[in-house]
Amino acid sequence: MNQVADILKLAGEAQQQNIDAVLATVVRTEGSAYRRPGAMMLICADGRSVGMISGGCLEPHIIKRAFWLTRHGANVQVYQTGSDESDEADDDSESNGNGNGDLENELNFGLGCNGKVHVLFERLTAARPFLEVIRHVRRRQKPATIATLIRANDQYHLPVGLRLDLADYSANEKITFVSADSMVNEALMNDPNAFTYKIKKLVKTLSTHVVSNKNTEYVVLKNGDITTEWLIQRLQPQHRLLVCGAGNDVMPLVTMAKLQDWHVSVIDSRAQYATRMRFPEADIVMPVALDDNEKLLKLSRHAAVALMSHSLTQDRARLSLLLEHPTHYKYLGQLGPSYRTERLVNEIRAAKDNPASLSEGVKKLHYPIGYKLGGDGPEALALGIMAQISAVMHEQNPANDFLDNNRTISEILSGV
């Protein structure tokens, strides 16, 4: 299962069992970093932990220090991954230079990556509203835009880890805090009127920022001597995969998709194949009749669709509908040799009053499905399919990347 799903699951269990926990979130990176901003890790007081914020090098330190670091509230730590010649700061020292209880220490791990990772630590009680927003995004399949305060100077008295829902402000100028009530109330106690004015001004400015295609943006706002640093996140719903066909070769494809936290649906017109027992990892498993166009369109909306039924009748029926709706889904792939798919397309065209209506759908159709990466069997097929779907949905061209990056050792050493 993917780390986000694991974190949500463990957070729910910790809450039910009344076990304290700390959420560690990458809020900024400089230079080379294994994980991007937004990566999370949850550490429970009983020793359980899930998620990763690095390649495994920072996690042991974080597990040991998480609860100590958050004893006075949320704070940000900076971890260096440069050479081991740098000076290492003492992580037991506390700096109150920004007036908000933030611990600003740079710890050098001498990993040779030449980067910095800024990590926000907060107790589960403070982070729970944010995790609920993530649950809501996944459940409703609608994105959300959240701004998280990384740092602020003394004059603002804003708590590190304060989160704002920018979508609510963009839609109706409503300010919604995605933070624990205690955090907001504490900030309000100092100067309610000034706090409200500052927040309105900040959220208005933040809502104008366009988030990059990486779905995160580091933003610094300056107003005279006042400076605040923010992470803006565009929380996206899970990618969706619809597999039309429930044969044995679909099983590893489902597993690979779930490892990447995709929402997976498996359908087949044959009820004996589309069963929960055969696909326990899938989110939806159901028999769908070949003439149930409404159900097929609903399940394929914004999804990657893989036609893998090994049945001409099934593939013809599904393909006939999907080719007419090329903007409905993000990817369409057909299993089988090229001549088989071309035969299906020709049969479908012959049955249509307006064959030209299929042109855009045919252009979008990938056949034979997946990349040929070598290997044999269902697992190799699944790897090629997921590689192709991922490249298409992320608008990547692996061939160009290979040509750009496939330099030999001799070329690198010679400076080519």
Side-chain angles (χ1 to χ4, degrees):
M1 188 178 291
N2 182 268
Q3 294 177 18
V4 175
D6 286 345
I7 288 170
L8 295 176
K9 182 175 182 291
L10 183 56
E13 292 175 356
Q15 181 178 359
Q16 290 178 352
Q17 298 164 7
N18 198 28
I19 295 173
D20 202 0
V22 173
L23 182 69
T25 305
V26 177
V27 290
R28 185 188 176 195
T29 61
E30 299 176 74
S32 178
Y34 186 80
R35 298 299 307 276
R36 294 178 178 177
M40 299 182 295
M41 180 180 185
L42 186 68
I43 305 103
C44 289
D46 62 2
R48 291 177 294 173
S49 65
V50 293
M52 294 179 67
I53 61 169
S54 74
C57 42
L58 303 182
E59 282 73 9
H61 168 86
I62 286 170
I63 289 173
K64 288 190 296 183
R65 307 300 288 166
F67 286 91
W68 185 88
L69 290 171
T70 54
R71 69 196 188 283
H72 298 313
N75 68 87
V76 172
Q77 291 281 295
V78 182
Y79 298 95
Q80 295 189 32
T81 58
S83 68
D84 57 8
E85 297 176 358
S86 301
D87 292 331
E88 180 173 333
D90 178 9
D91 66 348
D92 285 344
S93 64
E94 181 174 348
S95 169
N96 292 318
N98 57 14
N100 55 21
D102 189 13
L103 303 182
E104 290 292 344
N105 307 300
E106 293 193 3
L107 310 179
N108 180 42
F109 279 75
L111 302 173
C113 299
N114 297 320
K116 289 185 180 181
V117 182
H118 300 241
V119 182
L120 168 66
F121 292 87
E122 54 191 330
R123 292 293 174 98
L124 182 57
T125 51
R128 189 172 294 126
F130 177 62
L131 295 179
E132 285 303 314
V133 170
I134 296 176
R135 290 184 195 275
H136 186 74
V137 168
R138 293 161 71 89
R139 184 170 56 250
R140 296 286 302 275
Q141 287 291 300
K142 292 183 178 180
T145 304
I146 305 298
T148 301
L149 180 65
I150 301 174
R151 296 179 185 87
N153 62 12
D154 287 348
Q155 293 167 287
Y156 254 152
H157 298 291
L158 296 177
V160 167
L162 182 72
R163 290 188 173 94
L164 303 166
D165 187 333
L166 300 185
D168 268 4
Y169 186 84
S170 298
N172 52 26
E173 296 192 356
K174 176 184 177 183
I175 296 178
T176 302
F177 294 99
V178 186
S179 301
D181 292 340
S182 57
M183 179 184 291
V184 179
N185 291 336
E186 184 177 346
L188 280 168
M189 284 175 60
N190 295 321
D191 190 342
N193 293 330
F195 177 77
T196 302
Y197 171 76
K198 294 167 187 173
I199 288 297
K200 283 184 178 180
K201 192 171 183 179
L202 284 168
V203 74
K204 183 177 181 180
T205 305
L206 289 168
S207 64
T208 63
H209 283 269
V210 177
V211 181
S212 70
N213 57 5
K214 294 181 179 180
N215 291 316
T216 61
E217 195 73 31
Y218 168 69
V219 175
V220 178
L221 301 183
K222 293 184 178 181
N223 183 10
D225 295 332
I226 299 172
T227 301
T228 56
E229 299 176 44
W230 300 83
L231 170 66
I232 301 180
Q233 289 175 269
R234 180 73 167 173
L235 302 175
Q236 297 286 3
Q238 292 168 280
H239 289 303
R240 302 178 71 86
L241 172 65
L242 170 64
V243 186
C244 299
N248 291 345
D249 55 353
V250 173
M251 294 175 182
L253 179 60
V254 172
T255 298
M256 288 186 186
K258 291 307 297 179
L259 283 171
Q260 298 184 73
D261 194 33
W262 286 40
H263 182 283
V264 180
S265 301
V266 179
I267 65 172
D268 201 301
S269 64
R270 301 161 294 191
Q272 69 271 24
Y273 287 102
T275 66
R276 174 60 60 183
M277 183 177 295
R278 285 172 52 78
F279 299 96
E281 296 178 284
D283 298 277
I284 296 174
V285 185
M286 65 170 64
V288 175
L290 297 183
D291 59 355
D292 193 343
N293 293 344
E294 182 180 353
K295 181 68 70 177
L296 179 60
L297 288 177
K298 180 179 179 180
L299 292 172
S300 62
R301 185 167 181 78
H302 302 311
V305 184
L307 301 177
M308 302 178 61
S309 71
H310 297 278
S311 163
L312 283 170
T313 301
Q314 284 208 61
D315 288 349
R316 187 185 298 109
R318 310 297 192 199
L319 198 56
S320 177
L321 178 66
L322 293 169
L323 289 179
E324 288 186 315
H325 298 82
T327 61
H328 187 74
Y329 44 83
K330 295 183 177 180
Y331 168 95
L332 179 62
Q334 173 67 64
L335 181 69
S338 297
Y339 68 82
R340 179 183 184 273
T341 302
E342 289 165 1
R343 169 188 168 185
L344 285 169
V345 171
N346 288 333
E347 291 174 353
I348 294 168
R349 277 186 172 135
K352 298 290 184 182
D353 294 333
N354 180 19
S357 64
L358 306 177
S359 298
E360 292 303 314
V362 172
K363 290 179 183 178
K364 198 170 182 178
L365 178 62
H366 296 267
Y367 68 95
I369 192 172
Y371 292 138
K372 293 183 178 180
L373 302 177
D376 187 29
E379 291 77 15
L381 173 65
L383 181 61
I385 292 173
M386 284 306 303
Q388 186 179 65
I389 291 175
S390 183
V392 170
M393 295 185 73
H394 290 97
E395 299 180 348
Q396 299 296 309
N397 189 332
N400 289 343
D401 290 343
F402 178 80
L403 292 173
D404 291 340
N405 298 323
N406 191 31
R407 300 167 63 199
T408 65
I409 295 295
S410 60
E411 287 174 333
I412 294 172
L413 293 177
S414 65
V416 176

